[in-house]
């Protein structure tokens, strides 16, 4: 919400790119302020990895019906969580906090591979369980796409480790 123009004491909806750009820019700046040596991919990954993706089409009218990714993007930014997280993961090739294989018009089977970097900011080694999942149950049920990744990885203290998603 934003202050409503002209009255000074009301609120009005403020969204889209005009609302998102200053909000995300400010959130990114706050993460950089807290972690001055952070790289741009890490900053973006911290914001995307901790964003709220459980966004409904209409939380009042249709609770439980998830909004499409095309409507929510990476989710709603939660800068407090981005600063508090002790882990970040990103696509090592595209340098973004999400994996996308893009649109591919296929007439047969094809294998795609993406390298993922996991960064552990903690003071001790951590083992992460990797569980591929789908936003919508019917996407998994169709069987059109299968996802392969290691069951877990161990990342050293204040270190990084990579793995592939296929």
């Amino acid at each position: 919400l934003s202050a409503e123009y002209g009255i000074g004491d009301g609120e009005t909806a403020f969204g889209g790119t005009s609302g998102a750009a200053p909000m995300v820019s400010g959130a990114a700046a706050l993460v950089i302020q807290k972690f001055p040596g952070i790289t741009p991919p890490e900053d973006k990954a911290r914001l995307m990895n901790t964003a709220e993706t459980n966004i409904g089409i209409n939380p009042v009218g249709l609770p439980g019906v998830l909004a499409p990714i095309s409507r929510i993007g990476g989710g709603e930014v939660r800068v407090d969580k981005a600063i508090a997280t002790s882990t970040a993961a990103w696509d090592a090739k595209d340098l973004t906090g999400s994996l996308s294989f893009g649109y591919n018009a296929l007439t047969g089977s094809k294998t795609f591979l993406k390298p993922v970097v996991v960064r552990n900011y903690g003071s001790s080694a951590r083992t992460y369980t990797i569980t591929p999942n789908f936003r919508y149950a019917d996407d998994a049920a169709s069987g059109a796409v299968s996802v392969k990744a290691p069951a877990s990885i161990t990342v050293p203290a204040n270190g990084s480790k990579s793995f592939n998603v296929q």
Side-chain angles (χ1 to χ4, degrees), residues 27-40 42-43 46 79-87 121:
L30 289 170
V31 173
I32 292 168
Q33 181 180 26
K34 179 71 176 176
F35 307 104
I38 197 169
T39 66
E42 287 177 281
D43 190 4
R46 288 178 85 105
V79 72
D80 56 334
K81 291 181 179 180
I83 288 171
T85 190
S86 60
T87 303
Y121 299 98

Side-chain angles (χ1 to χ4, degrees), residues 3-81:
E4 191 169 346
Y5 173 75
I7 62 170
D9 63 355
E11 295 177 348
T12 189
F14 181 62
T17 305
S18 296
M23 293 291 291
V24 174
S25 297
L30 289 170
V31 173
I32 292 168
Q33 181 180 26
K34 179 71 176 176
F35 307 104
I38 197 169
T39 66
E42 287 177 281
D43 190 4
K44 185 175 182 178
R46 288 178 85 105
L47 289 166
M48 291 181 74
N49 293 172
T50 58
E52 177 59 60
T53 58
N54 190 18
I55 309 297
I57 290 176
N58 180 350
V60 176
L62 297 171
V65 178
L66 291 173
I69 291 295
S70 59
R71 183 167 175 199
I72 69 164
E76 292 179 357
V77 170
R78 300 292 188 257
V79 72
D80 56 334
K81 291 181 179 180

Side-chain angles (χ1 to χ4, degrees), residues 66-159:
L66 291 173
I69 291 295
S70 59
R71 183 167 175 199
I72 69 164
E76 292 179 357
V77 170
R78 300 292 188 257
V79 72
D80 56 334
K81 291 181 179 180
I83 288 171
T85 190
S86 60
T87 303
W90 61 91
D91 179 327
K93 182 180 175 195
D94 296 333
L95 302 178
T96 185
S98 65
L99 291 180
S100 174
F101 294 96
Y103 171 76
N104 293 277
L106 303 174
T107 57
S109 179
K110 182 168 181 173
T111 300
F112 298 93
L113 191 71
K114 286 283 187 166
V116 176
V117 174
V118 178
R119 171 92 176 147
N120 172 10
Y121 299 98
S123 59
S124 60
R126 297 179 77 184
T127 298
Y128 299 90
T129 301
I130 301 167
T131 308
N133 60 43
F134 292 84
R135 181 167 176 80
Y136 302 106
D138 57 343
D139 288 341
S142 77
V145 175
S146 63
V147 180
K148 294 180 185 170
S152 65
I153 61 166
T154 300
V155 182
N158 199 26

